[in-house]
């Protein structure tokens, strides 16, 4: 298995532009997580899905952020419009999501820079 | 951080020494997990300890959990330069496996 695949690896955009981050979880995994990592705030859970359904989006910072999981093999995190303070590394992770006692597998992350 | 505070935030030791990192949390958990992150990479799972367990071992890693104190510790014995990384504890709570992380401990092992 290729693991959790995120794209792009790096994204540089200008303030006000729309940004879409993509994630392909490990096949057979039922839970998918989006995290944001910054030096100041560490790893923040933004949203997580179970069986393609958003379970908890309380970590999504503002209405400018939205996430979708149209099927079991694909998820997107969209920022519209983007702002410089959105600059961070965004990680996607997946897990089996059956017993609740399972480890997370992380992608390599997307380094987002908003100028 | 959303949940889980690691202590210390940075640790520098000589190769061969033991490294101990601590984690505290605020609310009840299903389990607590430890992860490692090398610079510029994603996190990698190290060990999971369930709320009804007190101690767990994996190779050179030893994790303890004290639910009465809401704290956990990760011990790396006989450290190696390759252990240099950031280490995070993650609390698993909520009905559908809500996993939240602390700020992390940055470990440097000097050869």
């Amino acid at each position: 298995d290729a693991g959790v695949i995120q794209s792009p690896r790096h994204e540089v955009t200008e303030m006000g532009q729309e940004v879409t981050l993509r994630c392909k979880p490990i096949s057979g995994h039922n839970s998918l997580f989006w995290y944001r990592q910054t030096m100041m705030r560490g790893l923040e859970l933004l949203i997580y899905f179970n069986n393609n359904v958003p379970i908890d989006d309380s970590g999504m910072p503002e209405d400018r952020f939205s996430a979708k999981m149209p099927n079991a093999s694909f998820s997107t995190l969209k920022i519209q419009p983007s702002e410089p303070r959105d600059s961070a590394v965004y990680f996607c992770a997946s897990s089996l999501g059956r017993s609740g006692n399972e480890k997370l597998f992380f992608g390599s992350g997307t380094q987002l820079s908003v100028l | 951080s959303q949940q889980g505070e690691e202590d210390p935030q940075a640790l520098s030791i000589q190769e061969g020494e033991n490294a101990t990192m601590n984690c505290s949390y605020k609310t009840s958990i299903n389990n607590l997990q430890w992860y490692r992150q090398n610079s510029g990479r994603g996190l990698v799972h190290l060990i999971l300890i369930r709320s009804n367990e007190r101690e767990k071992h994996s190779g050179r890693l030893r994790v303890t959990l004290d639910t009465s104190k809401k704290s956990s510790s990760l011990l790396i014995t006989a450290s190696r330069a390759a252990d240099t990384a950031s280490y995070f504890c993650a609390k698993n709570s909520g009905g559908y496996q809500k996993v939240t992380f602390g700020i992390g401990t940055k470990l440097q092992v000097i050869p």
Side-chain angles (χ1 to χ4, degrees):
Chain A
D1 200 319
V4 176
I5 300 173
Q6 290 187 248
S7 64
R9 282 299 310 273
H10 302 275
E11 176 81 27
V12 180
T13 190
E14 292 187 347
M15 183 175 63
Q17 296 296 308
E18 177 180 295
V19 174
T20 299
L21 310 182
R22 297 172 175 79
C23 176
K24 176 179 169 55
I26 292 173
S27 177
H29 281 192
N30 294 323
S31 290
L32 182 139
F33 306 77
W34 282 101
Y35 291 90
R36 177 172 70 176
Q37 186 176 36
T38 60
M39 289 292 291
M40 291 298 295
R41 301 172 70 89
L43 263 166
E44 300 173 275
L45 175 63
L46 301 178
I47 185 171
Y48 72 103
F49 296 82
N50 185 265
N51 290 323
N52 312 337
V53 176
I55 302 301
D56 187 332
D57 65 354
S58 60
M60 297 286 262
E62 299 168 35
D63 292 344
R64 297 183 297 105
F65 286 70
S66 63
K68 293 182 180 179
M69 192 162 185
N71 57 62
S73 59
F74 184 65
S75 177
T76 59
L77 178 67
K78 187 175 291 187
I79 308 172
Q80 167 64 20
S82 58
E83 296 182 4
R85 59 195 168 114
D86 301 331
S87 298
V89 181
Y90 290 80
F91 286 102
C92 175
S94 70
S95 74
L96 281 171
R98 297 198 184 110
S99 72
N101 284 304
E102 297 133 354
K103 59 186 179 182
L104 271 61
F105 293 81
F106 279 78
S108 298
T110 294
Q111 173 81 59
L112 174 64
S113 297
V114 183
L115 306 176
Chain B
S1 67
Q2 289 178 315
Q3 190 61 259
E5 297 289 347
E6 284 90 338
D7 168 49
Q9 291 193 10
L11 180 61
S12 184
I13 59 174
Q14 295 288 331
E15 200 167 31
E17 293 180 338
N18 295 341
T20 300
M21 289 158 267
N22 302 298
C23 169
S24 62
Y25 56 93
K26 298 172 185 173
T27 58
S28 62
I29 58 171
N30 298 327
N31 62 64
L32 192 138
Q33 305 176 34
W34 285 89
Y35 288 79
R36 166 191 167 132
Q37 182 181 34
N38 286 79
S39 181
R41 309 289 291 274
L43 281 74
V44 176
H45 182 267
L46 294 175
I47 197 164
L48 180 153
I49 187 165
R50 301 186 185 202
S51 59
N52 61 353
E53 297 176 314
R54 292 296 166 259
E55 188 171 312
K56 207 160 181 181
H57 296 255
S58 176
R60 293 184 296 114
L61 305 180
R62 173 179 170 252
V63 168
T64 61
L65 178 64
D66 187 334
T67 53
S68 67
K69 295 181 179 178
K70 291 187 168 59
S71 67
S72 174
S73 68
L74 170 68
L75 169 67
I76 303 174
T77 60
S79 63
R80 305 166 182 168
D83 295 328
T84 294
S86 291
Y87 292 81
F88 295 85
C89 72
K91 188 196 84 162
N92 183 332
S93 63
Y96 279 101
Q97 196 185 13
K98 181 171 184 176
V99 181
T100 52
F101 286 80
I103 294 290
T105 294
K106 195 166 186 176
L107 173 66
Q108 181 185 27
V109 181
I110 302 167

